[in-house]
Structures are given as C-alpha cells and as structure tokens.
Amino acid sequence: MSDPKTLLDEATLASAAELDVYDAQGKKVKFGSIYAENKTVVVFIRHFLCGNCQSYVTALAQATSPETLKTANVHLAVIGCGDPGFVREYAERTGFCGAMYADPDRKVFRALGMNVETLDRTPAGQEPKKYLPQGNIVTRAVGGIAQAFKNPSLLGKQGKISQLGGEFVLGPGNVCTFASRMKHTEDHVEVDELLKHAGIGGV
C-alpha cells in the first residue's frame, strides 16, 4: 500500500473481520468482533519483545483511563504478531487495561495493508517520536530480551522482528475512520494524535 494513511474500505474490513486472532488463553476470536459494537482504537505492535512498542503501549495506557474511554464510548485493543502466551504478561508490564490479542500468522496484519518488513530506524534528520524511551537502542533491545527469559518456553516466539505495525480507528461495524501504518520500526503515530482521531480526551 503506497500511502500508509489509506483508510480501509468496507469490503476490505468485512473480509478481515472473518480472520482469527487469539486471546491470552489461546482461544480464537474473530477480528471483527473486536470493533463490531463500538468505535475501537486498534494498535498493531511489531512483536512482543520490541522495547519501542512496549513504550508506546505504556504511553497509550497512561494517556487514557477507564473513565475517559467510557465517556467517549471508545474501546482500546492491542494486537501483536507473536505467540498468545505473551499477552497476559505484556498487558501487566505496560499497564494496558484494554483488550489484547495475538496474530501469530500475521493474516490480519497483511489484510489491513501492513505488508512492510524492515529493521530500519528513524531516518536521519527526522525528529524521533515522543513515545520512544530514553537510552540507546542496545539498552532497549537488551530490556526486551530480558523479558523473554522470564518465560523461557516463549523464547523465539515473540513474532517476526521485521514486521511493522500500525494504528486504526475502527467501528462500529466495518468502518475505518483513521489509519496509520508504520514505515520503519520507530513509527507508531503519536499517542495524542491517535486519541484525537478517536475522539478521546487525555487524562
């Protein structure tokens, strides 16, 4: 998809809605059920050991509250491309209280146009995103790897590290009002911009 901001049409979403993602228990959930009844901010992270994505989800959790979400009648969901065994601990680590799922075969990623795979970082001369943590990339990578050793059975199952993610505002039903697909590994849309498009006030 040439323009990373291209909205999803109804037919594309209807097709993607039938694909399965997995909850923390490894149970199949139809992707479309996530946004069927409510406007929902759906964030696709790269993989479950990406320190940058972890910082993004943490920032999203800190910028919202159950009260502001209820007032705006908006739900939040995060989807990673790794094993569903990561979901529960990832939610606890980030303080994220929305729904969280895994798409290990990346079918939904591809259906929504997240087809770019790269390990490129922020291009030279471009301002880094505000959600990115302080410290060098080695420190952030080591932090992510350290998390894996808390559950050795999940080593190597974090998801494809070159997969990029993105953010969407979907629903109710097969409606897309905002889309932003990552162009490099540090390219989640800023949290305040995402919330603005979803009609959510900060806390």
Side-chain angles (χ1 to χ4, degrees):
M1 190 169 291
S2 57
D3 184 355
K5 301 284 188 179
T6 299
L7 298 180
L8 299 160
D9 59 36
E10 185 176 358
T12 298
L13 259 182
S15 178
E18 295 304 312
L19 298 173
D20 293 320
V21 291
Y22 298 83
D23 66 14
Q25 289 74 43
K27 295 180 180 178
K28 290 182 179 180
V29 176
K30 290 297 182 186
F31 175 63
S33 70
I34 297 171
Y35 57 86
E37 302 297 331
N38 295 85
K39 180 189 291 185
T40 304
V41 173
V42 185
V43 174
F44 288 82
I45 60 172
R46 296 178 54 240
H47 58 84
F48 284 112
L49 295 182
C50 174
N52 292 335
C53 289
Q54 178 181 322
S55 294
Y56 186 76
V57 176
T58 300
L60 179 60
Q62 293 173 344
T64 55
S65 70
E67 292 75 21
T68 57
L69 293 170
K70 183 176 181 180
T71 298
N73 195 26
V74 175
H75 290 186
L76 299 180
V78 165
I79 299 176
C81 71
D83 190 281
F86 280 99
V87 168
R88 188 185 305 278
E89 194 271 337
Y90 193 93
E92 293 174 354
R93 193 181 343 138
T94 57
F96 184 74
C97 61
M100 191 171 288
Y101 305 95
D103 178 22
D105 54 16
R106 298 182 292 153
K107 288 183 178 179
V108 179
F109 277 78
R110 296 189 185 97
L112 302 192
M114 289 170 284
N115 302 312
V116 177
E117 292 187 29
T118 182
L119 295 177
D120 290 347
R121 299 175 59 205
T122 304
Q126 191 175 105
E127 190 74 19
K129 297 294 181 68
K130 292 184 290 186
Y131 72 87
L132 292 171
Q134 298 298 313
N136 61 46
I137 189 171
V138 174
T139 301
R140 301 201 297 264
V142 170
I145 293 170
Q147 296 296 330
F149 283 100
K150 293 182 178 180
N151 192 342
S153 67
L154 293 174
L155 281 173
K157 299 179 182 179
Q158 73 279 348
K160 192 164 186 178
I161 63 172
S162 59
Q163 175 67 53
L164 299 186
E167 300 77 40
F168 300 84
V169 178
L170 306 176
N174 293 316
V175 175
C176 174
T177 55
F178 177 76
S180 180
R181 300 164 184 84
M182 298 172 75
K183 301 183 293 295
H184 55 79
T185 61
E186 301 173 337
D187 195 35
H188 284 292
V189 69
E190 296 286 14
V191 170
D192 55 357
E193 180 182 348
L194 179 61
L195 296 183
K196 177 181 177 182
H197 282 283
I200 304 173
V203 294

